[in-house]
Amino acid sequence: MDLWQFNDKCVRLTCIDGAVYEGIVSHNSADYNEHEFGREEEGLEMPGTLFYASDIASVESLEDREEGPWGKFSAPFGRLEEESLFDPDGDPVLACEILDCEEPEHVMRMLRCLGYYSNPEAGREIPGKEQLLEQLRVLVKYSDDPEAVRMASCLIADWTGEKP
């Protein structure tokens, strides 16, 4: 599979274990991955997550997909955002990394995930809220995206009682 063709594209990536991820990927060469991560194998990277070629069953470009309510994506957020938010160690570093991502689509998907799980009816407590609050405040201060600022402000207000 020629992974380079998916560089900077919105894709649906299926791992050999059946896990499905959607996002904008960047291609990493085998040399780059060896230097940065100690494994000489090319891969595709989404914010905070690297998929090596041998772990990928298929990649489908979503670039030609007709835009829907979630852009080219099939849902408001997905597995990437949930796994980043609910890290087994309870560390929100990956969720914070997505909130600081250069791709506005990834930021919005993470904000939607946070909004969904902020509702007590979702049945899960968000770990690392203090770190996430710090990152949300940074987003509000520096983002050029009015919708991201609005959503982050609403989350801050919901979590702290502060007025947006």
Side-chain angles (χ1 to χ4, degrees):
M1 177 175 353
D2 177 21
L3 296 182
W4 173 253
Q5 69 179 317
F6 299 108
N7 189 49
D8 292 330
K9 303 274 194 265
C10 185
V11 303
R12 179 176 297 117
L13 186 148
T14 304
C15 296
I16 57 173
D17 67 1
V20 177
Y21 299 84
E22 290 183 348
I24 298 168
V25 296
S26 57
H27 176 265
N28 291 357
S29 69
D31 288 341
Y32 177 83
N33 282 342
E34 180 180 34
H35 180 264
E36 293 296 317
F37 306 109
R39 183 168 166 182
E40 187 179 6
E41 183 178 2
E42 75 172 324
L44 294 175
E45 191 168 2
M46 289 183 195
T49 306
L50 175 59
F51 302 92
Y52 289 103
S54 62
D55 297 325
I56 299 172
S58 67
V59 183
E60 170 191 358
S61 174
L62 300 177
E63 289 296 314
D64 294 331
R65 181 182 173 153
E66 189 172 317
E67 299 247 346
W70 317 116
K72 295 175 184 183
F73 298 98
S74 62
F77 61 90
R79 188 176 190 126
L80 176 71
E81 293 77 24
E82 287 180 326
E83 286 181 0
S84 298
L85 184 57
F86 296 109
D87 178 87
D89 297 327
D91 188 348
V93 69
L94 292 178
C96 288
E97 186 175 320
I98 292 173
L99 288 170
D100 193 38
C101 177
E102 293 178 11
E103 299 290 346
E105 294 91 341
H106 282 291
V107 174
M108 292 303 294
R109 288 170 62 81
M110 191 73 241
L111 288 168
R112 288 187 205 112
C113 183
L114 287 168
Y116 176 81
Y117 285 108
S118 290
N119 183 340
E121 293 174 12
R124 292 182 87 173
E125 182 65 30
I126 295 174
K129 271 191 174 177
E130 286 306 313
Q131 285 177 272
L132 288 164
L133 273 169
E134 288 177 35
Q135 190 62 48
L136 289 169
R137 288 184 174 110
V138 168
L139 193 151
V140 166
K141 186 173 183 177
Y142 295 108
S143 178
D144 294 331
D145 183 341
E147 181 62 10
V149 169
R150 185 193 69 73
M151 289 177 70
S153 296
C154 288
L155 285 167
I156 293 168
D158 287 348
W159 293 359
T160 66
E162 296 173 16
K163 291 185 179 182

